[in-house]
Amino acid sequence: MLPLDGMLVVSIEQAVSAPLATRQLADLGARVIKVERPDGGDFARGYDTSVRGMASHFVWLNRSKESVTLDLKSPAGRAVLDRLVARADVFVQNLAPGAAARLGYDAPTLAGRYPRLVAVDLSGYGGTGPYRDKRAYDLLVQSEGGLVSVTGTPDDPVKTGIPTADIAAGMYIFSGVLAALLRRERGGTGTALEITMFDSTVEWMGHQVQHALHTGEQPRRMGLSHTVIAPYNRYPAKGGEQVLIGVQNDREWRRLAADLIGRPELGTDPRYATNVARTANRDEVDALVAAATATRPAGELIELLDRAGVANARLNELPDVVDHPQLSARDRWREVDSPVGPLRTLLPPVVFDADPPRLGPVPALGEHTGAVLAELGYTPAEIDALGGGAA
């Protein structure tokens, strides 16, 4: 038995944040009914065609869900949604600002109507404040939340290579829903949750916010380096490859000085003995490490660093990650079905020993509309009148 077996999640969702949260609920056994527009559905379906004609974002975020198409501008479409929500344990929506409230599907309204429902409103900035009506996409929230200001090189701010603001919000929906369900099962009621991409991103900026709060300074963009740790960077290996080295404490620095650099006295030299000192003399420290790494091939370097107990990594690209020996050794790959046939997918990070996660198919648009309408009591004629569920 998976933890969420028997739970019904209804979600009016698109893009990344809400679909990430509900996919993880599905992984844990929840039944997830994804409500989509009849005219194209979740717009992430059209982001690209890289997965044999399907979009990579959509494949990643939507396994194990049932797709139902409804026109929520029509009374007939809303009537179907009302029947679904009345049966649901969880409802999630990330419509455009104000849209859910205008339709009567905002979290406070639904939680008041259904006392055991955990209802979630996801937005960019929240339902109050001067930014409440502002549209929010990942890049924009990364910028407003300061993430872009600390990411990149000293000359060029950049967004992260993954949709970090979206993912942060999705993770807080996931954890918030789990906490709300636990509270409900312990004798409480459902609740209305409001989660924003902006709040989630600023929370993830934690130590940088504390730095700015107490110094009044903007943290520097450090590329692959670190504002308050040294050595912590990429270093050249013989033959043109690069190796990442990160020294988190002074004991590790002493091992690096002795075993890699070959100068154990640097471990106690006042210029380098503490992390604060090494950070103040970062350029000298990086030059000492780089001079030592440049004389050895990457494979030899990594073996030496592993033996010495010094943290390191290769600078992998995505094809390297797909073929990573650690994923293979831990049997992390599985297959899921989809409209274009079986697709490789990774197990979720949380797996219960006795109960494998649910890894169901990626749905076609509206694939489950007729079946869900029949389950709700609609007759074949009514289903046809709804166009298979698309009013």
Side-chain angles (χ1 to χ4, degrees), residues 11-41:
S11 187
I12 309 175
E13 60 178 31
Q14 53 198 356
V16 175
S17 296
L20 174 62
T22 59
R23 195 219 75 193
Q24 292 180 98
L25 297 172
D27 290 342
L28 294 180
R31 180 187 183 188
V32 177
I33 296 178
K34 180 184 180 79
V35 177
E36 301 187 71
R37 298 164 55 104
D39 55 344

Side-chain angles (χ1 to χ4, degrees), residues 118-286:
V118 175
V120 181
D121 286 341
L122 169 69
S123 64
Y125 298 98
T128 58
Y131 277 42
R132 65 183 182 184
D133 297 323
K134 194 175 182 70
R135 284 191 172 270
Y137 300 124
D138 179 76
L139 165 64
L140 311 179
V141 177
Q142 283 194 41
S143 297
E144 286 283 353
L147 178 55
V148 167
S149 79
V150 299
T151 306
T153 68
D155 295 328
D156 295 303
V158 300
K159 72 177 182 66
T160 59
I162 58 172
T164 303
D166 283 323
I167 294 170
M171 294 306 297
Y172 285 115
I173 296 171
F174 178 52
S175 60
V177 165
L178 294 179
L181 289 173
L182 179 60
R183 173 178 174 268
R184 189 189 76 172
E185 295 307 303
R186 286 180 166 178
T189 61
T191 191
L193 299 175
E194 182 181 47
I195 293 168
T196 80
M197 293 168 64
F198 184 71
D199 292 345
S200 301
T201 302
V202 174
E203 166 63 19
W204 279 21
M205 292 291 295
H207 81 275
Q208 302 281 30
V209 169
Q210 289 295 318
H211 178 98
L213 188 64
H214 292 282
T215 68
E217 299 173 353
Q218 164 66 29
R220 290 186 297 157
R221 290 186 298 275
M222 301 294 292
L224 288 175
S225 189
H226 197 289
T227 53
V228 296
I229 301 174
Y232 197 103
N233 212 331
R234 60 178 172 178
Y235 300 95
K238 187 177 181 179
E241 292 188 80
Q242 295 179 331
V243 171
L244 282 293
I245 297 175
V247 170
Q248 291 275 334
N249 57 66
D250 300 336
R251 297 184 305 278
E252 201 168 2
W253 165 250
R254 290 193 291 271
R255 294 196 297 269
L256 183 73
D259 294 358
L260 174 68
I261 301 175
R263 295 178 59 186
E265 71 276 8
L266 297 177
T268 55
D269 188 314
R271 294 171 296 173
Y272 316 122
T274 67
N275 183 65
V276 172
R278 290 192 298 277
T279 303
N281 295 288
R282 180 190 307 277
D283 291 343
E284 295 174 33
V285 170
D286 280 343

Side-chain angles (χ1 to χ4, degrees), residues 36-46 58 67 69 365-366:
E36 301 187 71
R37 298 164 55 104
D39 55 344
D42 180 345
F43 53 70
R45 287 181 178 273
F58 193 85
S67 172
T69 50
L365 178 61

